[in-house]
Amino acid sequence: MKDSAPQTVYLADYAAPGWLVDSVHLTFRLDPETTRVVSRIAFRPNPEGTQDRFYLDGENLKLIGATIDGQPVTPEITATGLTCPVPDGPFVWEADVEIAPAANTALDGLYMSGGMYCTQCEAEGFRKITYYPDRPDVMGIFSVRIEGDMPVLLSNGNPVASGDGWAEWHDPWPKPAYLFALVAGDLVAHSDRFTTTEGRDVALNIWVRPGDLDKCAFGMAALKASMVWDEQVYGRAYDLDLFNIVAVDDFNMGAMENKGLNIFNSSCVLAKSDTSTDADFERIEAIIAHEYFHNWTGNRITCRDWFQLCLKEGLTVFRDQTFTGDLRGHAVKRIDDALTLRARQFREDAGPLAHPVRPASFVEINNFYTATVYEKGAELVGMLKRLVGDDGYRAALTLYFDRHDGQAATIEDWLQCFTDATGRDLTQFALWYAQAGTPQITVTDDFVDGTYHLTLAQMTPPTPGQPDKQPLHIPVAVGLLAPDGSEVVPTRMLEMTQARQTYTFADLAARPIPSVLRDFSAPVILNHTQSAADRGVLLAHDSDPFNRWEAGRMLARDVLLAAVRDGKAPDPAYLDGLRATLTDDQLHPAFRARILALPSEQDVADALVRAGETPDPERIHSARRQVRQAIATALDAQMDAVFATMQVPGPYDPRAEDAGRRTLSNTVLSYLTLLDAGHRAAAQYEGADNMTQQIAALDCLLDIGAGQEALAAFRAQWQGDRLVMDKWFGLQIARSDPAETVTRAESLTRDPAFDWKNPNRFRSVFGALAGHMAGFHRQDGAGYDLLADWLIKLDPLNPQTTARMVTAFDAMARYDATRQELMRAALTRIARTPNLSRDTTEMVARILG
Ligand code: BES
Ligand code: ZN
């Protein structure tokens, strides 16, 4: 069979399925080389169907035989599916197919990881398991029989019966095929129970390899916290008697929300204090919540088609962000989310891969699980909430759940619920889903006779395929401060709907200092020239914590830009502001740490690009180090004191309060290390009894080139733990001197522990390389070549992970001509590789434009 040319799929071409599925029965006879999958599917014609030809998706399947209503049939088979004449009314389709899980290195469909069988079916993996209408608007009731010589055999829903070498499962909730899951392995469970508000007693399990049983307690607590939260905040209770989570070592993504059987990358569920950092704990808590929350936003209400992906992902990210904020503090969470959005989504929006939150077309849907769909998608939910208010939001969501439960819905359905529940016209707001690019809002103002005029002008730059943009409906939260820092006008939600609008504030005693876009009320870039003095007032006094942080951020950015452009030392006013924040005991430690952390090299490059300049990565790297050195020198005494007072006594607790203290003490340590030759960091490394403290110390030591001994000790201590070893690989690349980054990465690929077929390990090396701006963009192109070599090597095995990592080249256009040429050459080399996957082909083509 030859692969047909990649097809572009268009949202506008959506056609309702010609046949619907009532029930699916699957029998698996597991074997690594030849697994048999027998399917029995009850089809019935869809009265609303617009397809006239019966078609089932199927890839890499060997069809042994098929029948319709018991009569053998001979379908017409292609590389992507089959077709066959069918009766007019309902009928039963049966097929017997053979697949080879051990040979499935793409980790999509049924595959093997460390001796266990597992599945990944989103978005279009089920078609690699059997012939099926593999589209989310076809929902069926699944029952599954698994035969195999594994002690644990799991699928969706409830266990029905089991015996030696077999188990049967039944899922009472109709679901699309992408939510199907199967796991078979030598696993043990960390178990617990939960009683829902509806009185349902739910058995909870986290299934792991026997050696990982001591890493499950935190994930279990996070799961229960998520269940409580969804009941309390969204009124959504769990709907089965069993909830299983399984940890697997080889997984392309973070985790997957299969009905009743979530499958997790082991890095996203396994945690204990000596092997996981505070950041790991927080991430695990959020991902467990995210996948659990999908049970309502994704599973009970799913997507009509993959163009609607943000319907489940944007909403579910928004929900997990709110959950984390509730548990750990909203101010710091909002800052972290804004940082992620800017680093990932703004970057995507500014380059060749820019696309709307709801794209209009795709070649490979896996390439659209992007920061735009997820993070910007979540921002759109947040803006809707701001526009309709908390009560309006609750009413709209209740209506959404009532009206669309059991359905495959669209963005139009979603917005209609807001309109029907609140009466708001969201016609213009809907543009956010269709128009790509990050809007820029330019702020100007004047003050005459006690009246203040604030003028906002919005502009969205052109993006691929969208040269002309229309004005968006943007909620801009604004407050006004008096020159002494007191608040004269509390937060007001201004609603921009036009290209340019002026807002008037009367009866003011003095020219106010505006605090614009409070709480980062919209995912936009603010062009707002403010004096350093005004920023200093905002940093010291703004009642909005986000903008307090943002004011410090803007000051820091200007300091860094001055250092890059003219080698200037930091403005003393900035250092004074930092000192005041550092020593302000009224502020949460985690918040203080966020203010102390400088914008990244990437952020500085972004700012230069926006100013029309070409960033020089090495220069940015050394200028930023200079600034850090100057900050350390200026704040040495205060940092020393904070370092001492922020030490956390007693046993490790991953919760926010202690984590915040550790973040602050480790941020301060990273500065102090620049002055004390690593003295404190070495001591912390020696005395550390948890991974947060241990790795932070190692990080500091590597940063000053003094970490080699600790690095060796770290390896000796942790070589038996894959997840910790991922950190070992990544950190030494991330903290390397730019001149050595590429050679370090290259030599690590020759390390016996470098298992390049494992996505986590591959990413730990090449994600760190691509993330080291100055190292990756080495002038001779060695970074580009190394990455290209390995992407070419990985593509035939694992197209999804390859295609994701090609995005390392997406900022090509911002660099100088030499670097652009070298990147283009590397990409062209990838593009010309024979039999390159559809995933990678699409990404390279989009980046090359
Ligand atoms: N449904 C996705 C998993 C997925 C992603 C499947 C891409 C197929 C292709 C899951 O709910 C998800 O979004 N996972 C995220 C983590 C989450 C916390 C944002 C992931 O895997 O990165
Ligand atoms: Zn998700």
Side-chain angles (χ1 to χ4, degrees), residues 38 82 154 243 247 273 304 348 509 577 602 768:
V38 179
L82 62 72
L154 305 173
F243 190 81
S273 62
R304 186 193 70 173
E348 191 165 78
Q602 188 71 55

Side-chain angles (χ1 to χ4, degrees), residues 393-407:
Y393 180 76
R394 198 168 313 121
L397 268 285
T398 303
L399 180 59
Y400 178 66
F401 291 122
D402 285 349
R403 187 183 279 176
H404 295 292
D405 187 14
Q407 295 180 4

